[in-house]
């Protein structure tokens, strides 16, 4: 998952070159004062309820990866991305298909460090997230995350050092 991608590539183009995946997801690490912004998924979410994660989400088929980073950060935190600074280690995972559909889908998450305007002005979308925190190397253990997301946040914190 460490190959750098073209930010102008669409999800459709990326997935065409990676047929082992059904869905492309992005994550955005927003750092401020040696901490990384994490958000807590809503309790009603079907996948990973109440878990902490970096902001992110699915890339629409004809959307570029960069457009998705900007859109997802704004939708989830109301923060405006000013620059995508670098890509860092991603991961893949399997979830159940949408309700009523049998089987699973394999997703790949590409992660990026981003700069935003006024990082202290976080306003969550309550339908997606219930809380936010600034995670540091000293407080990371208090947040419930999947093992893969714990690695992502740890890697993001290393980028801020």
């Amino acid at each position: 998952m460490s190959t750098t991608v073209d930010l102008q590539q669409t999800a459709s183009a990326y997935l065409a070159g990676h047929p082992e995946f059904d869905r492309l997801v992005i994550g955005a690490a927003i750092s401020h004062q040696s901490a990384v912004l994490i958000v807590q998924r809503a309790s009603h979410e079907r996948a990973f309820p109440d878990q902490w994660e970096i902001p992110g989400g699915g890339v629409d088929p004809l959307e570029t990866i960069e457009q998705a980073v900007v859109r997802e950060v704004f939708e989830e935190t109301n923060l405006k991305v000013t620059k995508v600074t670098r890509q860092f280690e991603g991961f893949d995972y399997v979830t159940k298909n949408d309700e009523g559909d049998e089987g699973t889908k394999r997703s790949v998450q590409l992660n990026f460090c981003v700069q935003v305007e006024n990082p202290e002005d976080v306003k969550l979308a309550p339908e997606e997230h219930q809380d936010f925190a600034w995670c540091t190397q000293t407080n990371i253990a208090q947040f419930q995350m999947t093992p893969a997301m714990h690695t992502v946040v740890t890697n993001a914190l290393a980028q801020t050092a």
Side-chain angles (χ1 to χ4, degrees):
M1 292 304 118
S2 60
T3 304
T4 302
V5 299
D6 176 1
L7 291 172
Q8 300 310 310
Q9 189 175 36
T10 64
S12 295
Y14 181 88
L15 292 171
H18 298 85
E20 66 274 26
F21 300 118
D22 304 305
R23 182 171 180 246
L24 176 59
V25 176
I26 59 86
I30 301 164
S31 61
H32 181 60
Q33 298 178 346
S34 300
V36 170
L37 178 67
I38 56 174
V39 291
Q40 186 180 29
R41 293 176 65 85
S43 296
H44 66 266
E45 289 282 350
R46 195 169 43 86
F48 314 113
D50 298 314
Q51 296 286 305
W52 290 85
E53 63 187 0
I54 60 174
V59 184
D60 296 332
L62 299 180
E63 184 176 43
T64 68
I65 293 168
E66 183 175 39
Q67 288 168 335
V69 170
V70 170
R71 176 184 55 77
E72 284 290 344
V73 168
F74 186 77
E75 285 178 2
E76 294 188 359
T77 67
N78 206 44
L79 297 174
K80 182 180 177 187
V81 172
T82 57
K83 185 176 183 182
V84 177
T85 58
R86 70 177 75 85
Q87 184 177 350
F88 68 100
E89 190 72 21
F91 64 98
D92 59 85
Y93 59 97
V94 176
T95 56
K96 292 181 182 177
N97 280 336
D98 296 330
E99 289 184 42
D101 191 4
E102 295 296 321
T104 59
K105 60 183 167 188
R106 187 161 196 82
S107 299
V108 58
Q109 179 166 322
L110 306 177
N111 295 310
F112 302 91
C113 293
V114 301
Q115 294 174 352
V116 297
E117 289 180 3
N118 305 313
E120 61 282 347
D121 292 343
V122 176
K123 292 182 185 75
L124 297 178
E127 63 278 2
E128 292 190 43
H129 295 98
Q130 58 186 310
D131 203 0
F132 73 93
W134 290 97
C135 183
T136 65
Q137 293 178 349
T138 56
N139 72 3
I140 190 170
Q142 75 186 49
F143 300 105
Q144 185 178 2
M145 301 177 201
T146 64
M149 188 53 63
H150 188 277
T151 299
V152 167
V153 174
T154 299
N155 289 343
L157 285 166
Q159 304 287 327
T160 68

